[in-house]
Amino acid sequence: MIRHLALLTLALGACTSVAPIRNIAEPRSGVTFTSNDIRKLQNDDAANPGMLWVEQGKALWRAGVEGAGVDNKSCASCHGDAEQAMRGVAARYPVYDAAAGNILNLEGRINQCRVHRQHAEPLRYESEGLLALTSYVAHQSRGMPIQASIDGPARPHFEAGQAHYVTRQGQLNLSCAHCHERNWGKMLLAEPISQGQSNGFPAYRLEWQGLGSLHRRLRACQFGIRAERSAAGSQELLDLELYLAWRANGLPVEAPGVRR
Amino acid sequence: MTGALALKRAAPSLASGQAVRFAPRAAGCWLVTALCVGLPVAAAAQQVVFEGGAVPAPLTAVPADATRGKIVFVQREKGHCILCHALPDPEVRFAGNVGPPLAGIGSRLSAAQLRGRIVDPTQDEPDSVMPAYYRTSNLNRVARPYASRTVLSAQDIEDVIAYLLTLR
């Protein structure tokens, strides 16, 4: 009996370790679906409006945070120079964190640091401060290929994200896959449908006249198909973010991207 | 009620306010019960009966208006069908290509087939990317303002069908 159970466990282990196959083997960044003007804007640091948030993030990285009136630590107090310490970090996110018992995206990790290391209040999702720090950290990986891991305890989160991705929702009854896997490259009126890759985020979106997180972008999609929107930072969007990162593995981090 | 009047009255609302409920499959047909939940002028509960992917019976008794149907087809606040479908019309400058172009659709499909595809294309093609324009059941996490509302009203759909039938 025990031997059977052990065999069953091994078999199950083998099953779950089978690497999933991507529907889009060679992903294409969203920026390749935009106009020349937008590509130029993204590629020129002096013109890319997202760089304003990166600059602000650089200042926040070095600024002390008055946490519970005791330590006044900055990010730099522990991590030093972000250009060294944060290089390549964003390319691996979201990651599973044992202390949190969950996957964390960059926003989550920054807030974990604020609460547990700086003894400060977490920054509100989509607040200018969190957007700035996230952009600054993500920017340190610009050009590096995304390499999100879905192994081990991250796997159930990947699977939840995948389930979300292929589930129809909203009054218009569409899944993410209906547009971004089956119909990318086709036109909606005069706009091409992209593959919905996440590698440009946080991104400056012309429609927003501002920089926003990936979760804000995903909520905009939910709004578009007339679905109930998930809260920014919610578990379902975190899981979806991990699925999207795996889907984008190999694409370069573009933060801060520029999109329509 | 003329078509123009109908358009005026329907324009401010998000959708028709009519709900569609699917009943169990019977003898190769899908029985659909439409329940009126919010229209100021109450329409009687209405049945939509599928035969294959088609719906032979019109959704309303009001004569369809092809001119109004074109407006419903094009307008962003209504069907906005040009988001995905091209039209053989010089007035329509931009159109998408997610769905097939509709030049000649009136000689390829009958009114019943068009009605079926607009009411609920998944009846004919379960994995269809085209939304169901007259269905409120078996949908997942619909945003509150749209809950229990169809995308288009019954009259909108009849008028669009009349317009599409002119494309020969």
Side-chain angles (χ1 to χ4, degrees):
Chain A
M1 181 66 188
I2 289 169
R3 224 169 88 191
H4 281 125
L5 275 177
L7 280 174
L8 185 66
T9 311
L10 272 176
L12 283 173
C15 282
T16 52
S17 67
V18 171
I21 295 166
R22 299 195 296 195
N23 289 330
I24 300 173
E26 289 178 20
R28 256 180 70 184
S29 167
V31 82
T32 67
F33 293 88
T34 62
S35 65
N36 268 333
D37 289 347
I38 289 178
R39 282 198 291 273
K40 274 189 208 156
L41 209 53
Q42 175 172 300
N43 293 335
D44 179 355
D45 281 355
N48 182 336
M51 289 306 290
L52 296 170
W53 280 262
V54 171
E55 286 303 314
Q56 194 195 342
K58 187 175 186 174
L60 288 175
W61 179 267
R62 295 166 179 175
V65 173
E66 282 188 38
V70 279
D71 16 33
N72 200 36
K73 274 193 236 168
S74 71
C75 308
S77 309
C78 296
H79 295 286
D81 183 356
E83 286 169 24
Q84 306 286 319
M86 293 295 116
R87 186 165 167 72
V89 169
R92 295 191 293 272
Y93 270 64
V95 293
Y96 183 81
D97 181 75
N102 199 352
I103 52 171
L104 293 177
N105 60 4
L106 278 185
E107 289 89 340
R109 177 68 82 196
I110 290 165
N111 270 333
Q112 190 193 50
C113 262
R114 278 183 68 88
V115 172
H116 296 291
R117 308 277 178 237
Q118 296 174 302
H119 306 116
E121 290 290 311
L123 293 165
R124 193 175 51 77
Y125 218 98
E126 224 57 34
S127 63
E128 289 295 299
L130 188 56
L131 285 173
L133 275 170
T134 309
S135 305
Y136 180 58
V137 172
H139 185 64
Q140 307 312 319
S141 299
R142 188 160 70 167
M144 299 176 76
I146 292 181
Q147 38 190 318
S149 166
I150 56 168
D151 296 337
R155 188 58 179 258
H157 295 283
F158 164 81
E159 279 161 10
Q162 184 175 43
H164 188 135
Y165 194 85
V166 299
T167 301
R168 287 183 184 266
Q169 51 181 302
Q171 191 197 36
L172 301 189
N173 203 28
L174 294 166
S175 73
C176 312
H178 276 109
C179 291
H180 298 293
E181 300 231 313
R182 286 176 40 187
N183 285 294
W184 64 266
K186 291 190 182 163
M187 306 293 282
L188 279 179
L189 217 57
E191 302 284 3
I193 302 176
S194 80
Q195 293 178 352
Q197 302 290 356
S198 57
N199 59 311
F201 284 81
Y204 184 91
R205 229 180 142 213
L206 301 184
E207 187 182 321
W208 295 333
Q209 294 286 297
L211 182 122
S213 69
L214 177 66
H215 288 199
R216 183 176 176 192
R217 183 65 190 87
L218 296 173
R219 281 165 51 82
C221 258
Q222 291 177 318
F223 181 78
I225 58 174
R226 302 181 179 179
E228 262 175 52
R229 280 181 288 176
S230 316
S234 62
Q235 189 67 49
E236 53 193 357
L237 291 189
L238 271 178
D239 293 346
L240 187 56
E241 181 172 354
L242 177 63
Y243 178 73
L244 294 177
W246 168 81
R247 199 172 163 266
N249 270 344
L251 283 179
V253 174
E254 290 174 6
V258 180
R259 296 292 185 269
R260 283 192 302 268
Chain B
M1 178 171 68
T2 68
L5 273 176
L7 182 61
K8 241 181 210 166
R9 208 194 57 204
S13 68
L14 290 166
S16 73
Q18 288 182 320
V20 176
R21 183 178 293 164
F22 284 86
R25 194 170 192 149
C29 293
W30 285 95
L31 287 176
V32 180
T33 311
L35 304 167
C36 177
V37 294
L39 269 186
V41 183
Q46 186 185 331
Q47 281 197 332
V48 178
V49 181
F50 273 89
E51 288 180 11
V55 176
L59 304 178
T60 70
V62 178
D65 179 342
T67 307
R68 183 180 175 278
K70 182 181 168 182
I71 295 170
V72 173
F73 190 96
V74 172
Q75 264 189 359
R76 192 186 171 100
E77 299 75 23
K78 299 296 277 178
H80 207 213
C81 312
I82 56 168
L83 197 60
C84 294
H85 295 283
L87 283 182
D89 190 321
E91 285 178 28
V92 177
R93 289 178 55 212
F94 294 107
N97 64 1
V98 176
L102 297 181
I105 194 72
S107 46
R108 289 198 298 278
L109 295 182
S110 67
Q113 288 170 316
L114 288 168
R115 191 174 294 112
R117 289 186 187 203
I118 299 169
V119 166
D120 184 2
T122 64
Q123 294 284 322
D124 184 47
E125 187 194 337
D127 202 23
S128 173
V129 68
M130 180 171 150
Y133 285 86
Y134 199 70
R135 165 180 155 186
T136 53
S137 65
N138 298 320
L139 297 176
N140 178 30
R141 52 187 298 168
V142 176
R144 197 165 293 169
Y146 304 100
S148 303
R149 288 173 172 272
T150 57
V151 182
L152 290 176
S153 72
Q155 195 60 47
D156 288 339
I157 291 173
E158 289 306 316
D159 292 347
V160 166
I161 294 166
Y163 168 62
L164 294 176
L165 288 171
T166 68
L167 304 177
R168 290 181 179 272

